[in-house]
C-alpha cells in the first residue's frame, strides 16, 4: 500500500488500476513512443524512493500489500532460518526490481512459482523476474535465508535491526532496521499488512505486532503466529523475543492490552505498565478512537539500545520506562503509526506530536500544565544563544532526526499553534488529522493545510517561524 493515490487505485480492477497509475508524463511518452501502444514497456523499478536522509531506502515499480514471515530462531546460536513471502502489485511493467535486504545468506528466491535471478549490492536485493511482470499484476516474492541477522548502525550512532539480548533479541526498525531480518520495500510510504510465524525454543516468548493468532508447542519448540491486520510501515515491525512475563487485560474503554515484561524489570516498570489503560483511554478521548485492534507494550533488557520505539500495537522498551515514556510511545500509535510520515524530514510530525501528548497527559494527571512545560528550561526557556535553536524543525537532518529538536521544538510548535488558533480549533484539528489520515502517509504541507482549513486562518508566517527557520521564535 503506497500513497492515497495507490490506495484509491487498489480498489479499482486490473486495467483501471494500470490507467490510474500512469502519470501524465508516462502516458504522453507511451503515446509518442513507436510500436504497438498496447504492448507492455518493461523497465527496471527504481532502486530508491529518493528520501535524501536514506537514499537507498525503498524501491519503485511495485506496491507491497502483505508480508508473511516464517522463521525459526535460537537465541543460543543466534541463527535464524526464514522464509518471507511478499505479496505485491506491479505499478509499472517490470523486468527487474529491488528489495531492501541486509539479512543473512539467501538460499532461494522465487517470483511466483519461478526461481528468479538475483544479486545483492549493499542493502539492495536486485531481482530479475521471469516471466516479466505487467502493470497491475499481483505477484509474490518468496525469499529463503539463513544465518545471523545484523545489527544496523544509524547516522547518530544508535543501533537497531536485530539486537541480541542475553535471553533473545530486541528488534527495533526505525529508521532503517527492518531489512536486517526481512526483505522489504523499506519505506514508511509503502505500508502493508504482516503475518509472523516464529518458532523458538519452548519457554521463549515472541511478541509481534497485532494479534496473537496461535501458540503451538511440539518437540520442545513453540510457534507464535502474530497477525497485523491494519497497514503498517516496515520500520514499525517487531518480533522481539526472550523471557517475558505476559499479561492481558482490557481498558475500561474496551481496548485489548497485551504486555510482555522481562521478569527482571517487572518491579521497576510496574507503575508505567499499570497506567497503560488510563493513558490509552485518555488519548482516545482527545485524539479519537485507538486506531488498531490491539494495544500493549514489550519491556525488555537491551542496554546497548537505550531508546524505546513505537512498534505498531506493541511499543518496545529497551529498559524499564517511566510513565512519560510509556505515554510517548502510546501516543505514537495515533501519530507516527496510524498517521505516518512519507519522508523522514517530516519526523517532527511523529516526535513533536508524541512529545506534546505527554505534556497533555502530565497536565491531565495533575502535573505541570502544558504551558508550564512549554516555558521550561528544556523548551522555550532555553537561551536564544543555545545551539538547540540552530536546527530546522521540519528538516533536522539524519543525525538529528531523533535529537531534541523534532521532539521539543516540535511539541512547542503544537503548543504555540494551540495558542494561535484556540483550543476548540486545535483539538478539532488533531482529532481530524488522526481520522482523515488514518493508516496513511501525511506531510508537513498536509498538516499546514489542515490547520489553515480548521482555523480559517493564514498560518504561513506562523509555521515558517516555528518549522522552517532557525533561531528562537520571538513572535508568531
Ligand atoms: N522513535 C523513537 C521514539 O521516540 C525513538 C527512536 C527510534 C530512536 N529509532 C531511534 C532514537 C534511533 C535514537 C535513534 O519513541
Ligand atoms: Zn517518539
Amino acid at each position: 500500500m503506497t500513497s492515497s493515490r495507490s490506495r484509491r487505485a487498489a480498489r479499482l480492477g486490473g486495467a483501471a488500476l494500470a490507467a490510474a497509475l500512469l502519470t501524465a508524463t508516462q502516458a504522453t511518452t507511451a503515446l509518442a513512443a513507436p510500436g504497438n501502444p498496447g504492448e507492455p514497456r518493461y523497465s527496471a523499478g527504481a532502486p530508491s524512493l529518493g528520501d535524501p536522509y536514506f537514499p537507498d531506502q525503498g524501491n519503485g515499480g511495485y506496491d507491497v500489500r502483505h508480508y508473511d514471515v516464517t522463521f525459526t530462531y535460537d537465541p543460543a546460536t543466534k541463527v535464524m532460518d526464514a522464509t518471507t513471502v511478499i505479496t505485491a502489485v506491479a505499478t509499472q511493467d517490470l523486468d527487474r526490481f529491488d528489495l531492501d535486504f541486509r539479512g543473512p545468506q539467501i538460499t532461494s528466491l522465487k517470483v511466483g512459482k519461478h526461481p528468479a535471478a538475483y544479486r545483492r549490492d549493499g542493502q539492495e536485493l536486485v531481482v530479475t523476474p521471469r516471466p516479466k511482470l505487467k502493470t497491475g499484476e499481483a505477484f509474490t516474492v518468496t525469499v529463503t535465508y539463513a544465518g545471523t541477522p545484523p545489527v544496523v548502525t544509524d547516522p547518530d550512532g544508535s543501533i537497531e535491526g536485530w539486537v541480541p539480548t542475553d535471553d533473545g533479541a530486541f528488534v527495533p526498525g526505525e529508521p532503517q532496521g527492518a531489512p536486517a531480518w526481512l526483505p522489504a520495500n523499506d519505506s514508511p510510504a509503502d505500508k502493508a499488512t504482516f503475518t509472523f510465524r516464529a518458532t523458538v525454543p519452548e519457554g521463549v516468548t515472541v511478541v509481534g505486532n497485532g494479534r496473537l493468532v496461535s501458540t503451538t508447542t511440539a518437540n520442545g519448540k513453540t510457534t507464535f503466529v502474530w497477525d497485523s491486520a491494519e497497514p503498517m510501515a516496515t520500520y514499525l515491525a517487531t518480533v522481539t523475543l526472550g523471557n517475558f512475563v505476559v499479561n492481558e487485560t482490557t481498558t475500561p474503554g474496551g481496548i485489548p492490552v497485551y504486555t510482555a515484561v522481562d521478569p527482571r524489570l517487572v518491579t521497576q516498570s510496574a507503575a508505567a505498565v499499570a497506567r497503560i489503560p488510563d493513558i490509552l483511554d485518555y488519548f482516545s478521548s482527545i485524539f479519537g478512537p485507538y486506531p488498531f485492534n490491539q494495544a500493549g507494550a514489550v519491556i525488555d533488557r537491551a542496554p546497548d539500545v537505550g531508546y524505546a520505539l513505537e512498534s505498531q500495537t506493541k511499543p518496545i522498551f529497551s529498559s524499564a520506562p517511566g510513565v512519560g515514556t510509556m505515554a510517548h510511545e502510546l501516543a505514537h500509535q495515533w501519530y507516527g503509526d496510524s498517521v505516518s510520515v512519507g519522508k523522514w524530514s517530516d519526523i517532527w510530525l511523529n516526535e513533536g506530536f508524541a512529545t506534546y501528548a505527554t505534556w497533555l497527559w502530565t497536565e491531565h494527571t495533575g502535573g505541570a500544565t502544558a504551558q508550564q512545560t512549554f516555558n521550561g528550561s528544556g523548551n522555550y526557556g532555553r537561551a536564544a544563544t543555545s545551539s538547540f535553536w540552530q536546527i530546522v524543525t521540519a528538516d533536522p537532518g539524519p543525525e538529528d532526526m531523533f535529537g531534541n529538536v523534532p521532539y521539543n521544538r516540535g511539541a512547542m510548535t503544537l503548543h504555540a499553534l494551540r495558542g494561535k488558533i484556540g483550543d476548540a480549533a486545535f483539538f478539532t484539528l488533531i482529532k481530524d488529522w488522526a481520522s482523515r489520515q488514518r493508516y496513511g502517509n501525511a506531510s508537513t504541507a498536509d498538516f499546514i493545510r489542515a490547520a489553515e482549513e480548521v482555523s480559517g486562518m493564514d498560518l504561513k508566517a506562523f509555521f515558517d517561524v516555528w518549522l522552517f527557520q532557525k533561531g528562537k521564535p520571538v513572535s508568531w
Side-chain angles (χ1 to χ4, degrees):
M1 296 171 214
T2 314
S3 57
S4 52
R5 183 186 63 175
S6 50
R7 265 184 286 117
R8 268 194 303 280
R11 284 182 230 115
L12 306 171
L17 172 73
L21 289 168
L22 277 178
T23 65
T25 1
Q26 285 168 325
T28 316
T29 320
L31 285 177
N36 184 338
E39 285 296 297
R41 285 160 201 289
Y42 295 104
S43 58
S48 159
L49 288 175
D51 191 309
Y53 287 21
F54 299 95
D56 292 336
Q57 194 171 56
N59 308 285
Y62 62 92
D63 179 9
V64 176
R65 301 300 163 83
H66 187 71
Y67 294 91
D68 192 308
V69 187
T70 302
F71 69 88
T72 61
Y73 184 74
D74 185 349
T77 62
K78 301 186 175 64
V79 171
M80 167 183 275
D81 263 285
T83 296
T84 292
V85 182
I86 298 170
T87 306
V89 175
T91 55
Q92 69 184 61
D93 298 325
L94 283 172
D95 57 12
R96 205 175 81 196
F97 63 86
D98 281 19
L99 291 164
D100 300 303
F101 189 50
R102 302 165 177 275
Q105 182 81 40
I106 295 174
T107 54
S108 135
L109 191 152
K110 289 179 182 174
V111 177
K113 302 188 294 291
H114 309 280
Y118 62 89
R119 93 187 138 75
R120 297 181 70 166
D121 179 9
Q123 78 171 73
E124 301 304 308
L125 169 57
V126 184
V127 179
T128 308
R130 291 294 179 273
K132 299 173 186 177
L133 301 164
K134 294 193 185 64
T135 305
E137 188 176 338
F139 63 100
T140 59
V141 187
T142 303
V143 187
T144 302
Y145 46 102
T148 301
V151 172
V152 176
T153 302
D154 290 328
D156 69 358
S158 308
I159 57 168
E160 54 163 326
W162 192 273
V163 183
T165 57
D166 58 8
D167 61 7
F170 188 74
V171 187
E174 187 188 27
Q176 51 168 356
W181 57 282
L182 72 139
N185 192 25
D186 190 34
S187 161
D190 191 359
K191 295 189 182 190
T193 53
F194 287 72
T195 306
F196 303 117
R197 307 165 202 276
T199 301
V200 289
E202 188 175 356
V204 175
T205 298
V206 183
V207 192
N209 312 93
R211 279 198 167 150
L212 182 58
V213 175
S214 63
T215 313
T216 325
T217 300
N219 307 320
K221 287 173 183 290
T222 305
T223 300
F224 293 81
V225 179
W226 286 95
D227 189 64
S228 189
E230 298 99 357
M232 177 166 84
T234 48
Y235 80 85
L236 298 169
T238 194
V239 285
T240 291
L241 55 101
N243 285 336
F244 289 117
V245 177
V246 171
N247 263 297
E248 290 188 72
T249 184
T250 303
T251 73
I255 305 165
V257 177
Y258 177 108
T259 55
V261 182
D262 185 302
R264 296 164 291 187
L265 302 178
V266 168
T267 309
Q268 266 177 282
S269 57
V273 171
R275 290 301 240 167
I276 292 173
D278 289 347
I279 296 169
L280 288 169
D281 285 351
Y282 170 62
F283 286 161
S284 302
S285 77
I286 56 173
F287 303 151
Y290 180 76
F292 307 118
N293 63 14
Q294 177 76 63
V298 184
I299 297 170
D300 201 358
R301 198 170 162 284
D304 296 338
V305 174
Y307 60 84
L309 173 63
E310 61 269 26
S311 307
Q312 190 157 301
T313 74
K314 306 282 185 337
I316 56 174
F317 301 83
S318 60
S319 61
V323 179
T325 303
M326 181 60 73
H328 179 104
E329 304 308 336
L330 294 177
H332 270 309
Q333 303 303 309
W334 283 262
Y335 305 111
D337 295 8
S338 170
V339 183
S340 305
V341 298
K343 59 179 196 303
W344 290 112
S345 54
D346 286 333
I347 191 72
W348 82 275
L349 286 171
N350 290 5
E351 303 305 346
F353 271 73
T355 302
Y356 194 58
T358 67
W359 296 9
L360 296 174
W361 165 258
T362 300
E363 175 166 346
H364 173 73
T365 51
T369 63
Q371 183 62 46
Q372 286 167 335
T373 307
F374 177 93
N375 292 339
S377 59
N379 293 309
Y380 198 68
R382 285 179 197 260
T385 50
S386 165
S387 61
F388 172 88
W389 302 108
Q390 294 310 310
I391 288 167
V392 174
T393 317
D395 190 8
E399 284 169 30
D400 290 311
M401 61 186 286
F402 300 112
N404 284 329
V405 170
Y407 289 69
N408 291 29
R409 188 164 173 164
M412 279 186 260
T413 301
L414 292 173
H415 189 71
L417 177 65
R418 178 179 165 191
K420 180 93 181 168
I421 68 178
D423 278 10
F426 179 78
F427 285 101
T428 301
L429 169 65
I430 60 173
K431 208 176 211 174
D432 277 12
W433 182 246
S435 73
R436 282 206 241 163
Q437 306 288 355
R438 187 171 157 121
Y439 305 149
N441 298 100
S443 66
T444 297
D446 293 329
F447 184 69
I448 293 172
R449 211 171 300 122
E452 291 189 327
E453 216 175 280
V454 171
S455 66
M457 293 165 72
D458 179 346
L459 298 168
K460 297 282 177 303
F462 172 89
F463 283 113
D464 189 51
V465 164
W466 275 101
L467 294 178
F468 300 109
Q469 297 301 324
K470 293 180 183 177
K472 181 173 177 173
V474 285
S475 64
W476 55 83

